[in-house]
Amino acid sequence: KPASDSFCDHRLKVWSAPVDDPGHFTCHGTVFRTKDDRDYKSDVDWSDKELYAPDVVEKDGKYYLYAYIVDSKGCVAVADKPEGPFKLLSMYEYHVEEKLCDNGWFIDPGVLVDDDGKVYIYCGFTRSYMAQINEKNMYEIIDETFREHILPQRPPEDASGFFEACSPRKIGDTYYLIYSPNIGSRLAYATSKSPFGPFTYQGYIVDNA
């Protein structure tokens, strides 16, 4: 019997596979949790809701986990290895209005460490957001860097519109934002010449419709 029958769980596990043999995965076990279990205490003390759609980036030899906790303020954790385990670093910290990035939840965070060491977070559910993170601590949102609608809002029937699941990249001097669009089991992408956007829709990269 599976440990969870929900889409996501209170426990985050890590799997890895060799680049030249991606069919053979190794499970590294639970690396972060938002609820006490039989053997371990929760890694957070302000919520016992499930974890959704995390992201991990490397900076200066450390690995930083950005997690969305359902209906709760999200958090950042840190580890010495990509497979963890991760230790809580902080909630997101900011000094602007409380509604920043969906009430401070930072839904489905995707994080980019740029070539110059600056760090950016992209997130949202039906509305797209981004902000710059203080690269010295990796959890503080820098004042006045918050942007909303980095992808223009579209009506629900517009298949190019943003739904959720930000995943940023940079190739050359172009910034790519991969996301789940309004319609279908698809991944769309948009591009910009600036990490702050706005991003221009370019099409699908995966279409399972």
Side-chain angles (χ1 to χ4, degrees), residues 146-160:
F146 169 66
R147 303 287 189 276
E148 187 176 8
H149 303 312
I150 54 172
L151 276 161
Q153 273 200 302
R154 304 292 187 198
E157 63 273 14
D158 187 331
S160 70

Side-chain angles (χ1 to χ4, degrees), residues 1 3 5 17 26 40-41 44 47 81 95 98 105 110 117 124-126 136 139 155 157 165 171 176 181 187 189 198:
K1 182 180 179 180
D5 58 3
T26 298
Y40 296 94
K41 300 289 289 182
V44 301
S47 176
K81 301 180 293 184
H95 311 288
E98 190 70 15
W105 298 348
F125 174 69
T126 71
K136 295 180 180 178
Y139 59 80
E157 63 273 14
I171 302 174
Y176 292 78
L187 289 179
Y189 79 104

Side-chain angles (χ1 to χ4, degrees), residues 57-64 113-114 116-119 134-136 138:
V57 294
E58 184 273 333
K59 189 174 191 307
D60 300 330
K62 297 283 188 180
Y63 295 85
Y64 294 89
V113 178
D114 209 339
D116 58 4
K118 293 180 179 178
V119 182
N134 184 345
E135 67 271 18
K136 295 180 180 178
M138 298 298 283

Side-chain angles (χ1 to χ4, degrees), residues 99-120:
K99 293 182 179 179
L100 175 69
C101 294
D102 291 314
N103 301 310
W105 298 348
F106 289 78
I107 295 175
D108 294 0
V111 179
L112 174 70
V113 178
D114 209 339
D115 302 332
D116 58 4
K118 293 180 179 178
V119 182
Y120 305 94

